[in-house]
């Protein structure tokens, strides 16, 4: 019945709402604490540089990259890229985001297990995703044939890999934020009140990864309903 297809579409609504909320939350929280400068006055890039040096990671460079909240750590290139809103900024938000990326660098240094697992999954996911929509398209065209069912189940497997990737990403991101707060507390770069603000910023950013996991799970569930649908 047609109403079943509407239900399949409605399944994604909670994930979409959560994603929108997470996006708004991270921007509002970042902007709020971006207006509050740290009492120490050190900029995010300088603090990140000092922490990296103290950890013996002098080979990791820190560069500026365009965009807003486009910060990342590139393990192969050994660099931390800080966005225009973070690099050279001494706000609570900027410092928290910069140290989050330092946390990722420390994860690689310490051979953090979830990082190893994700690195094993990434090439598999990249290869499989090339065939995702092809398998779903062929599966849809030949839905009532064994060939169609095979291709649809291949699509389910690829979506399951996406769920696994997002699931492994969660502890990585939350651990990087935990490391950031721990470092900022130990070094005294932020006092207790400032640390509270940094936590708020990083927790709101973590919500975006939770939303990503929820959306991937709902997409997998929706495809499973299509594959398991037995009507003629």
């Amino acid at each position: 019945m047609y109403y079943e297809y509407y239900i399949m579409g409605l399944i994604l609504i909670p994930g979409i709402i959560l994603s929108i909320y997470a996006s708004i939350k991270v921007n509002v929280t970042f902007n709020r604490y971006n207006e509050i400068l740290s009492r120490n006055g050190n900029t995010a890039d300088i603090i990140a540089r000092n922490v990296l040096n103290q950890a013996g990671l002098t080979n990791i460079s820190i560069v500026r990259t365009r965009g807003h909240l486009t910060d990342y750590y590139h393990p192969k290139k050994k660099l931390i890229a800080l966005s225009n809103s973070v690099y050279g900024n001494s706000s609570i938000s900027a410092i928290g985001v910069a140290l989050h990326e330092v946390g990722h660098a420390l994860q690689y240094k310490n051979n953090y297990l979830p990082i190893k697992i994700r690195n094993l999954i990434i090439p598999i996911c990249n290869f499989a995703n090339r065939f995702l929509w092809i398998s779903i398209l062929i599966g849809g065209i030949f839905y009532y044939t064994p060939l169609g069912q095979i291709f649809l189940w291949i699509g389910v497997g690829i979506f399951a890999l996406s769920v696994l990737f997002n699931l492994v990403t969660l502890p990585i991101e939350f651990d990087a934020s935990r490391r950031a707060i721990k470092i900022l507390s130990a070094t005294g770069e932020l006092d207790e009140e400032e640390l509270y603000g940094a936590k708020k910023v990083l927790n709101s950013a973590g919500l975006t990864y939770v939303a990503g996991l929820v959306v991937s799970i709902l997409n997998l569930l929706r495809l499973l309903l299509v594959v398991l649908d037995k009507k003629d």
Side-chain angles (χ1 to χ4, degrees), residues 3-117:
Y3 76 87
E4 294 181 3
Y5 292 100
Y6 287 117
I7 292 174
M8 291 176 189
L10 291 173
I11 285 174
L12 286 179
I13 290 180
I16 294 172
I17 293 174
L18 180 59
S19 296
I20 294 172
Y21 171 77
S23 178
I24 294 173
K25 179 73 173 177
V26 68
N27 279 286
V28 169
T29 308
F30 180 89
N31 291 335
R32 176 185 175 186
Y33 289 99
N34 196 38
E35 296 177 357
I36 304 174
L37 303 182
S38 70
R39 293 183 176 91
N40 278 355
N42 292 327
T43 59
D45 54 302
I46 290 176
I47 296 174
R49 179 73 273 160
N50 290 339
V51 172
L52 289 172
N53 290 345
Q54 291 170 9
L57 298 175
T58 55
N59 60 327
I60 295 178
S61 59
I62 300 175
V63 300
R64 184 193 293 267
T65 187
R66 288 183 291 181
H68 175 64
L69 295 180
T70 51
D71 314 84
Y72 63 89
Y73 171 60
H74 198 302
K76 291 185 178 179
K77 294 183 178 180
K78 299 293 183 183
L79 69 83
I80 290 176
L82 300 179
S83 61
N84 288 329
S85 52
V86 172
Y87 192 99
N89 191 343
S90 61
S91 74
I92 304 302
S93 291
I95 293 170
V97 171
L99 267 294
H100 174 89
E101 301 308 328
V102 171
H104 284 311
L106 293 174
Q107 288 173 338
Y108 276 88
K109 178 189 177 184
N110 299 331
N111 293 315
Y112 185 54
L113 181 59
I115 284 284
K116 291 183 175 181
I117 297 173

Side-chain angles (χ1 to χ4, degrees), residues 182-193:
K182 184 177 180 180
I183 291 169
L184 290 170
S185 177
T187 58
E189 285 291 348
L190 298 182
D191 60 29
E192 286 300 318
E193 184 179 350

